[in-house]
Amino acid sequence: MLSRTTWIVTAFVAGLALVVAAVLVVRQLTEPSKPELPVIPESRRPVLEAAARACSPLSVPLLAAQIDAESGWRVNADSGQAQGISQFAPQTWKEWGRDGDGDGRADVWEPRDAIPSQARYMCHLYTVVKEVPGGSTRRGSTRLALAAYNAGPNAVLRAGGMPKMDETRGYVDKIVNDLLPKYRQAEKKYQENEAKHGSKKHGAAASSSSSSPSSSPAPSSSSSATALPSAAPGATVPTASRRQR
């Protein structure tokens, strides 16, 4: 039979364990959870990386955040005014849509056509907003280029900056303040993971090569990224804006 002292110690330890467990549960329930980072669909990454090289202001996170805001990565997105993963209005697509996958036609519903065209059009919009007040800074030019993509470049030029349109301002704020930081974090994590696994693969390949000196070197694989034609950065404002405004 347990002595009175042993029983008291055992009861105290059990009670303390219950208190600690309760504290941990409460902390887990009350502490804000880390937001999940967005993921770029693997099937879209090659064309997205190629498109981001169209001009220096662009980046993979920026184009990804814009696509997320436009269509949520849905290739069949149709607002009634704009279509496809990059949400081009018919008249804007007619002017800026290009054949990106080499099948001989520019298809707004084909991401391999739409994403490079989106990048090319954004490069053009960066040049359009350059002379607008606030358009000379990197952040300012990005906000204005996004506004021009949403409302049309003429709306930005008429306003001399950000148009006073709730839809456009909400669109720009969502991308710049919410989605873009998350996609930057996600891309950093992705690149770190790729570097880590790439280093392991390189080490394994080197070890295999040293143990088998007679084996011939493996042929280098070509990049799967879609080649992107040079941007058309002319500062002439398109005759038709993306939103028909």
Side-chain angles (χ1 to χ4, degrees):
M1 181 179 293
L2 294 175
S3 66
R4 180 179 178 81
T5 302
T6 303
W7 183 88
I8 292 174
V9 171
T10 302
F12 175 78
V13 171
L16 182 61
L18 288 174
V19 170
V20 171
V23 169
L24 291 175
V25 170
V26 170
R27 179 179 295 178
Q28 185 175 5
L29 292 175
T30 56
E31 285 186 348
S33 59
K34 293 183 179 179
E36 288 189 17
L37 295 179
V39 177
I40 295 172
E42 198 61 35
S43 61
R44 307 292 172 233
R45 177 166 285 280
V47 68
L48 192 69
E49 290 178 345
R53 294 193 290 269
C55 60
S56 60
L58 297 183
S59 65
V60 168
L62 176 59
L63 290 177
Q66 188 178 18
I67 292 172
D68 195 324
E70 288 287 353
S71 65
W73 296 97
R74 291 179 295 114
V75 299
N76 61 344
D78 189 347
S79 69
Q81 292 181 315
Q83 302 168 328
I85 195 171
S86 300
Q87 288 290 279
F88 276 93
Q91 286 300 318
T92 310
W93 180 255
K94 184 177 181 180
E95 184 168 0
W96 290 96
R98 298 292 186 275
D99 172 22
D101 60 2
D103 67 352
R105 66 192 185 99
D107 184 357
V108 73
W109 304 106
E110 170 54 63
R112 292 173 295 177
D113 293 349
I115 294 175
S117 298
Q118 170 193 347
R120 187 179 295 103
Y121 186 39
M122 280 293 291
C123 289
H124 170 71
L125 294 176
Y126 269 105
T127 67
V128 171
V129 305
K130 190 178 295 184
E131 303 303 322
V132 176
S136 59
T137 66
R138 187 174 185 84
R139 180 179 174 83
S141 63
T142 293
R143 290 182 63 86
L144 292 174
L146 289 170
Y149 193 96
N150 178 265
N154 288 324
V156 173
L157 294 176
R158 283 196 303 267
M162 184 65 63
K164 294 181 179 179
M165 301 176 182
D166 291 341
E167 177 195 338
T168 298
R169 294 190 174 202
Y171 169 85
V172 173
D173 287 341
K174 179 180 181 180
I175 293 175
V176 174
N177 299 331
D178 180 25
L179 293 173
L180 182 54
K182 291 177 182 177
Y183 273 102
R184 280 173 174 162
Q185 292 180 48
E187 186 64 12
K188 181 180 179 181
K189 186 175 181 180
Y190 174 85
Q191 294 299 337
E192 289 174 349
N193 189 53
E194 284 294 294
K196 181 179 179 181
H197 285 79
S199 177
K200 288 182 178 180
K201 290 177 182 178
H202 180 74
S207 176
S208 175
S209 175
S210 62
S211 62
S212 304
S214 60
S215 61
S216 59
S220 59
S221 59
S222 59
S223 172
S224 60
T226 305
L228 187 67
S230 58
T236 303
V237 179
T239 56
S241 71
R242 175 174 172 271
R243 298 298 187 193
Q244 307 297 306
R245 292 172 181 162

